């Protein structure tokens, strides 16, 4: 009997996944390492009908069609935008080209998912928001996948019912010569705290090394400090967030583990732990299992890439925008980034 129930459950799970099919065709602009590693695998796993891949090189287009014979490779974005079968376009190209590509897609009325950064300035972001409203693009999402990370979603829900005190965030990597660290790297962290704690204001900001900053931000109900730096090393890079509330301390590490340590009780304002030794209690709210190779234990899932792409495709299929990373929701993040740029660059 137990084995029959297990077999039935496994069959139901498999059939439910296979039944998830899509009615529209899609296109992808770009074929870089990030796309190949984090985005294309999600599209393949979901079985998304990818009709076109657009690149800038004819040589690369030929190689793509040899590697992926079911996809049409092209160097013409217009070919994609003029194809009525294509309802959604995913973009992960050179950051400097994103604004121009996004503008053309919005004018076509097609839905789009565009990797960060969608543009280089706040004025360009405002222009994209205006174009979305003007041309009626049903879905315009930005690739800020940390909002979709399961640990972040758990933390966001928990913090809604907490009295917030302070937070401390560290993002420490090695040298980044290939781009703009603020727009390419730190946008994720500044967007994360904006998403968790609402729109921030800069209380203090100090540049301590090239592309390295110490920030103090004030949000409506919490104050936090951030160390964003490329002065360390990629081999032992660190990404950690500690949030202190009236009930306890949350710790988020690398989007891989989220814990909660409740604060000990007090007696007439005196911490009970000073009177009597107590065992430390730590509640694990989320932890990626490195042993079991399932979808939910894959880094593409724990980092949020899977859920953001799935959200985009689902939104296009049902004809409604995803509020979580709609392009207009990125404006507070850009306002902070531009404030830092105005001060130091």
């Amino acid at each position: 009997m137990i084995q029959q129930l297990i077999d039935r459950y496994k069959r139901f799970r498999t059939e439910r996944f296979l039944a998830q099919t899509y009615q529209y065709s899609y296109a992808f602009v770009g074929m870089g390492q990030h796309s190949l590693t984090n985005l294309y695998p999600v599209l393949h796993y979901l079985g998304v009908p990818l009709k076109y891949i657009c690149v800038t090189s004819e040589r690369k287009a030929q190689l793509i069609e040899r590697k992926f014979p079911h996809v049409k490779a092209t160097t013409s974005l217009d070919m994609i935008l003029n194809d009525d079968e294509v309802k959604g376009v995913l973009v992960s190209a050179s950051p400097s080209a994103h604004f121009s590509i996004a503008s053309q897609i919005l004018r076509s009325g097609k839905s789009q998912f565009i990797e960060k950064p969608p543009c280089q300035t706040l004025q360009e972001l405002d222009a994209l928001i205006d174009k979305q409203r003007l041309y009626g693009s049903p879905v315009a999402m930005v690739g800020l996948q940390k909002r979709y990370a399961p640990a972040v979603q758990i933390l966001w829900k928990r913090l809604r019912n907490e009295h917030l005190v302070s937070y401390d965030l560290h993002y420490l990597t090695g040298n980044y010569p290939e781009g703009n660290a603020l727009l390419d790297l730190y946008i994720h962290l500044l967007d994360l705290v904006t998403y968790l704690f609402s729109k921030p204001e800069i209380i203090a900001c100090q540049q301590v090394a090239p592309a390295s900053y110490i920030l103090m931000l004030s949000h409506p109900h919490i104050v936090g400090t951030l160390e964003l730096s490329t002065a360390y090393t990629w081999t032992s890079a660190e990404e950690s967030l500690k949030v202190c509330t009236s009930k306890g301390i949350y710790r988020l590490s690398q989007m891989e583990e989220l814990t909660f340590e409740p604060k000990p009780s007090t007696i007439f304002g005196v911490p009970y732990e000073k009177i009597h030794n107590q065992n430390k209690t730590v509640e694990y709210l989320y932890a990626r299992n490195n042993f079991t190779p399932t979808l939910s234990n894959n880094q593409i899932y724990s980092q949020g890439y899977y859920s953001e792409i799935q959200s985009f495709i689902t939104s296009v299929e049902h004809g409604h925008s995803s509020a979580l990373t709609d392009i207009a929701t990125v404006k507070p993040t850009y306002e902070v980034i531009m404030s830092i740029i105005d001060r130091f660059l």
Side-chain angles (χ1 to χ4, degrees), residues 191-212:
D191 184 74
L192 175 63
V193 297
T194 300
Y195 174 66
L196 289 174
F197 309 119
S198 191
K199 182 179 179 179
E201 292 184 5
I202 298 178
I203 298 177
C205 181
Q206 181 67 47
Q207 186 172 17
V208 294
S212 299

Side-chain angles (χ1 to χ4, degrees), residues 24-40:
Y24 300 130
S25 294
Y26 295 82
F28 202 109
V29 179
M31 178 60 84
Q33 190 59 48
H34 170 65
S35 305
L36 290 170
T37 304
N38 301 314
L39 305 182
Y40 280 106

Side-chain angles (χ1 to χ4, degrees), residues 99 103 106 122-132:
F99 174 70
S103 298
L106 288 172
L122 184 60
Q123 290 72 26
E124 288 183 347
L125 182 67
D126 285 333
L128 292 178
I129 295 171
D130 290 341
K131 285 183 174 68
Q132 181 190 15

